């Protein structure tokens, strides 16, 4: 009996070995056929261990190449778990997986409806429930790099598949992009994502330190209009949601919302000083439009609230609001705007700008309102106080600037005047914004108790010299005498007249101005010391000097000429008498005066009749001039 059992056992072992051999040969044949069908050239395992729980491998590699698609895979720490009781795979875990795809798949022929992705309705039930890759990296064509971690939940129905990641980074260099007339050059992206994706939808969050970099961004008119250098965009915390159809490769919906930061190392425009600019705000977009809201700040200190509405199939609209005050505003504008006058300083007051820019193509269309409230400061060596009013600006095919009742309470270059009120218009072509036409509807200023009024008219900036007529009304002689920096001057009466200003690129001059005293005349007192030089060795002039020490005039007439070098020439004719000279007998006095107006104003400014800031500026200027003379 025992011998029969031994023979049965031996034959059982022989038969089992034969079956295993046959099965092994068959499995090997099936394996080789599968590798050939999948164009797998190489498949290696290292450190393989079998157990009741599954298969473990220390490392593995795979190389596939069929001409249309090439890739290679390497990995460490492979573990495939199974359940012998249920005859099913439970999960796959990979510690490290590196994928290299040197080229994109060769495009297949498509039909008129595209090239749909055909997925089977049902997959094998023995697929693992979960595939987890702790360290995943992929080298894709066009130098695209992907790294991170992935967890894929599987099911027999592909529509129930689900992909999750705590951190996946994508790095890529993109080709130049052309959008709405703008050109993006040298584009590089480093974007981190966390979230999940399924068969028909995804939700992803942008991770901190993600950045989109552009070497240069050229506007619609590159080299003439605007360009930005070294632009970075960051969207930490931005959420992206999308729905799609994998079967026909169609994006159905797209929505993104969250913080957005933009930074440009330099912004270049003919009217702007190159400097660093940044934007911080929120973006809300979808397939139809992008809505952007936040604040723009320049390195010099100019800040503005900005909103951008950019319809994908429409015209982008940019709205901006700027509020700045005092000395900070003046300094910021001076370091930002190239047309800003070099001697213009702001010390107090509020400035407000509201603008809307539409970008229908290469030609922007803009409307803006600039409001001033109590703005004061210095222009060269003139102090100005209390600027109030509004400028309306339109910029499109042409540039138009309008103002109604722009009011300056006081302007003081040494002799105070004010208030100044101006209403007018400036219009120029887009191609030549500084070669337009100035129209003055109303322009007047208080001056020495009376008024200076500009005759309404229109002047082309290119047709110089421009002739601007100024009328004098009710100017008080007594106040004029008190302004002059000499003791003993006094007078009374009222002056009126007409002074033609000839304005050119070289300055302002007056030729043929005439001033008359209004009836019934007035009184003049000149100290003898002021006129002493006129009386030397001339008896007639001695009499004139004596008479002008207390002269009652019935008529006063003066011609006015002013050269570009600053010399004011007055041809003064007086008709009247001095009760203390020749028993008050009527006299006619003709005197020619010359005055160096720049020197006179400098004297007034140094006397502190303007303000401390102007006085200090003039003193510093005088010191520089003296130092220059000493160094010659």
């Amino acid at each position: 009996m025992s011998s029969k059992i031994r023979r049965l056992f031996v034959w059982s072992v022989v038969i089992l070995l034969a079956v295993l051999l046959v099965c092994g040969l068959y499995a090997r044949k099936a394996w080789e056929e599968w590798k050939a069908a999948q164009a797998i050239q190489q498949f290696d395992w290292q450190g393989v261990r079998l157990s009741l729980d599954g298969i473990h491998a220390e490392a593995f590699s795979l190389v596939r190449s069929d001409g249309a698609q090439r890739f290679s895979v390497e990995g460490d720490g492979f573990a495939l778990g199974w359940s012998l009781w249920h005859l099913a795979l439970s999960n796959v875990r990979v510690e490290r997986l590196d994928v290299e795809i040197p080229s994109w798949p060769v495009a297949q022929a498509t039909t008129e409806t595209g090239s749909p992705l055909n997925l089977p309705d049902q997959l094998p039930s023995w697929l693992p429930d979960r595939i987890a890759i702790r360290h995943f990296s992929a080298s894709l064509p066009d130098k695209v790099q992907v790294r991170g971690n992935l967890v894929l939940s599987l099911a027999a129905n592909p529509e129930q598949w689900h992909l999750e990641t705590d951190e996946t980074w994508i790095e890529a260099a993109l080709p130049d992009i052309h959008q709405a007339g703008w050109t993006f050059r040298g584009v590089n992206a480093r974007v981190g994502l966390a979230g999940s994706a399924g068969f028909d939808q995804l939700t992803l969050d942008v991770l901190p330190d993600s950045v989109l970099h552009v070497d240069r961004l050229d506007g619609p008119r590159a080299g003439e209009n605007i360009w930005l250098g070294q632009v970075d965009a960051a969207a930490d915390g931005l959420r992206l949601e999308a729905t799609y159809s994998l079967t026909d490769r169609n994006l159905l919906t797209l929505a993104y919302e969250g913080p957005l930061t933009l930074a440009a190392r330099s912004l270049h425009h003919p009217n702007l000083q190159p400097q660093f600019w940044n934007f911080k705000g929120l973006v809300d977009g979808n397939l139809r439009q992008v809505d952007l809201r936040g604040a723009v700040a320049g390195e010099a200190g100019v800040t503005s609230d900005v909103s951008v509405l950019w319809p994908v199939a429409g015209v982008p609209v940019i709205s901006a609001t700027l509020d700045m005050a005092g000395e900070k505003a003046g300094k910021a504008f001076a370091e930002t705007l190239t047309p800003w006058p070099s001697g213009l300083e702001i010390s107090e007051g509020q400035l407000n700008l509201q603008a809307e820019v539409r970008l229908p193509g290469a030609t922007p269309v803009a409307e803006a309102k600039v409001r001033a409230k109590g703005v004061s400061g210095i222009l060269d060596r003139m102090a100005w106080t209390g600027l109030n009013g509004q400028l309306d600006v339109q910029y499109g095919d042409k540039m138009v600037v309008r103002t109604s009742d722009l009011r300056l309470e006081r302007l003081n270059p040494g002799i105070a005047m004010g208030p100044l009120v101006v209403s007018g218009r400036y219009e120029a072509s887009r191609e030549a914004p500084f070669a337009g036409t100035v129209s003055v509807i109303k322009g007047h200023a208080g001056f020495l108790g009376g008024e200076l009024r500009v005759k309404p008219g229109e002047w082309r900036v290119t047709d110089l010299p421009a002739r601007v007529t100024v009328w004098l009304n009710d100017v008080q002689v007594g106040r004029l005498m008190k302004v002059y920096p000499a003791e003993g001057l006094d007078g009374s009466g009222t002056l009126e007249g007409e002074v033609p200003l000839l304005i050119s690129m070289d300055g302002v001059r007056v030729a043929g101005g005439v001033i008359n005293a209004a009836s019934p005349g007035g009184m003049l007192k000149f100290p003898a010391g002021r006129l002493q030089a006129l009386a030397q060795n001339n008896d007639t002039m001695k009499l004139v000097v004596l008479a002008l020490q207390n002269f009652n005039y019935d008529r006063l007439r003066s011609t006015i000429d002013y050269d570009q070098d600053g010399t004011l020439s007055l041809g003064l004719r007086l008709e009247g008498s001095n009760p203390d000279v020749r028993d008050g007998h009527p006299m006619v006095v003709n005197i020619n005066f010359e005055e160096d107006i720049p020197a006179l104003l400098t004297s007034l400014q140094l006397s502190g009749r303007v303000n401390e800031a102007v006085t200090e500026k003039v003193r510093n200027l005088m010191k520089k001039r003296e130092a220059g003379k000493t160094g010659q």
Side-chain angles (χ1 to χ4, degrees), residues 7-23:
R7 286 196 298 271
L8 179 61
F9 177 77
V10 171
W11 279 107
S12 297
V13 172
V14 171
I15 293 172
L16 179 59
L17 291 174
V19 171
L20 290 175
L21 179 59
V22 171
C23 291

Side-chain angles (χ1 to χ4, degrees), residues 185-335:
R185 307 181 190 277
V187 183
N188 291 276
R190 182 179 180 273
V191 181
L193 300 171
S196 61
F199 181 81
D200 56 3
Q201 65 180 8
L202 62 79
T203 300
L204 297 172
D205 293 324
V206 178
L207 298 176
D209 298 328
S210 298
V211 64
L212 178 67
H213 176 82
V214 181
D215 284 341
R216 178 170 172 138
L217 174 58
D218 289 310
R221 300 172 63 186
E224 296 181 35
N225 192 17
I226 185 171
W227 65 274
L228 297 88
Q230 303 299 314
V231 181
D232 291 324
D236 298 353
L238 180 77
R239 169 151 291 194
L240 174 68
E241 297 179 346
T243 62
Y244 41 80
S245 173
L246 290 178
T247 56
D248 55 10
R249 300 181 183 177
N250 186 25
L251 180 62
L252 302 179
T253 64
L254 174 66
Y256 45 93
E257 181 180 6
L260 178 65
T261 301
L262 302 173
R265 185 173 300 174
S266 60
L267 187 156
H268 298 261
H269 187 274
N271 294 327
L272 297 176
Q273 301 282 1
Q275 60 181 280
F276 173 85
W277 288 85
N278 72 76
F279 166 87
K280 292 183 179 180
L282 298 173
V283 62
D284 185 358
N286 50 49
L287 291 176
R288 298 183 302 277
Q289 68 180 33
V290 179
D291 190 356
L292 194 63
R293 299 178 184 275
V296 172
E299 185 178 6
V302 173
T303 60
S304 173
D305 292 330
V306 174
S307 66
V308 180
L309 183 62
W310 196 319
V312 173
V315 176
V317 178
I318 303 172
S319 300
T321 301
L322 182 150
D323 288 291
M324 298 194 72
E327 186 177 354
K328 180 180 179 181
K331 184 176 183 297
F333 288 133
E335 296 178 0

Side-chain angles (χ1 to χ4, degrees), residues 508-510 561-569:
V508 179
R509 62 188 180 91
V510 177
D561 294 281
Y562 182 73
D563 292 334
Q564 292 170 347
D565 63 1
T567 301
L568 176 68
S569 300

Side-chain angles (χ1 to χ4, degrees), residues 484 498-500 508-515 557-573 591-598 600:
Y484 197 84
E498 182 176 298
V499 179
V508 179
R509 62 188 180 91
V510 177
V514 177
I515 294 177
R557 179 182 176 86
S558 178
T559 60
I560 298 179
D561 294 281
Y562 182 73
D563 292 334
Q564 292 170 347
D565 63 1
T567 301
L568 176 68
S569 300
L570 298 176
L572 183 63
R573 178 183 173 86
I591 306 175
N592 293 323
F593 286 105
E594 283 192 356
E595 186 69 68
D596 186 341
I597 295 299
L600 173 63

Side-chain angles (χ1 to χ4, degrees), residues 64-285:
R64 181 185 186 275
S65 176
D66 66 352
Q69 175 66 74
R70 301 172 180 269
F71 68 83
S72 62
V73 177
E74 291 185 359
D76 295 334
F78 175 87
L80 171 61
W82 57 41
S83 173
L84 294 179
W85 182 259
H86 295 93
L87 299 178
L89 302 178
S90 58
N91 62 77
V92 174
R93 186 178 71 253
V94 180
E95 184 69 21
R96 179 186 63 85
L97 183 67
D98 296 335
V99 178
E100 182 177 357
I101 302 177
S103 62
W104 297 115
V106 176
Q108 303 294 324
T110 61
T111 64
E112 293 182 358
T113 59
S115 178
L117 179 63
N118 295 317
L119 295 176
D121 296 332
Q122 199 75 10
L123 294 174
S125 60
W126 48 260
L127 285 174
D129 297 332
R130 186 172 181 268
I131 299 177
I133 305 174
R134 186 172 181 182
H135 299 288
F136 172 79
S137 67
S139 298
L140 304 179
D142 301 324
K143 298 182 179 179
V144 178
Q145 300 289 324
V146 181
R147 60 180 176 83
N149 58 69
L150 299 173
V151 176
L152 178 62
S153 299
L154 303 178
N157 183 356
E159 295 186 7
Q160 297 177 353
W161 285 22
H162 190 73
L163 178 67
E164 294 183 2
T165 178
D166 293 332
E167 182 180 19
T168 294
W169 289 89
I170 303 172
E171 299 182 16
L174 305 178
D176 291 351
I177 301 172
H178 303 276
Q179 179 68 34
W182 293 77
T183 301
F184 299 74
R185 307 181 190 277
V187 183
N188 291 276
R190 182 179 180 273
V191 181
L193 300 171
S196 61
F199 181 81
D200 56 3
Q201 65 180 8
L202 62 79
T203 300
L204 297 172
D205 293 324
V206 178
L207 298 176
D209 298 328
S210 298
V211 64
L212 178 67
H213 176 82
V214 181
D215 284 341
R216 178 170 172 138
L217 174 58
D218 289 310
R221 300 172 63 186
E224 296 181 35
N225 192 17
I226 185 171
W227 65 274
L228 297 88
Q230 303 299 314
V231 181
D232 291 324
D236 298 353
L238 180 77
R239 169 151 291 194
L240 174 68
E241 297 179 346
T243 62
Y244 41 80
S245 173
L246 290 178
T247 56
D248 55 10
R249 300 181 183 177
N250 186 25
L251 180 62
L252 302 179
T253 64
L254 174 66
Y256 45 93
E257 181 180 6
L260 178 65
T261 301
L262 302 173
R265 185 173 300 174
S266 60
L267 187 156
H268 298 261
H269 187 274
N271 294 327
L272 297 176
Q273 301 282 1
Q275 60 181 280
F276 173 85
W277 288 85
N278 72 76
F279 166 87
K280 292 183 179 180
L282 298 173
V283 62
D284 185 358

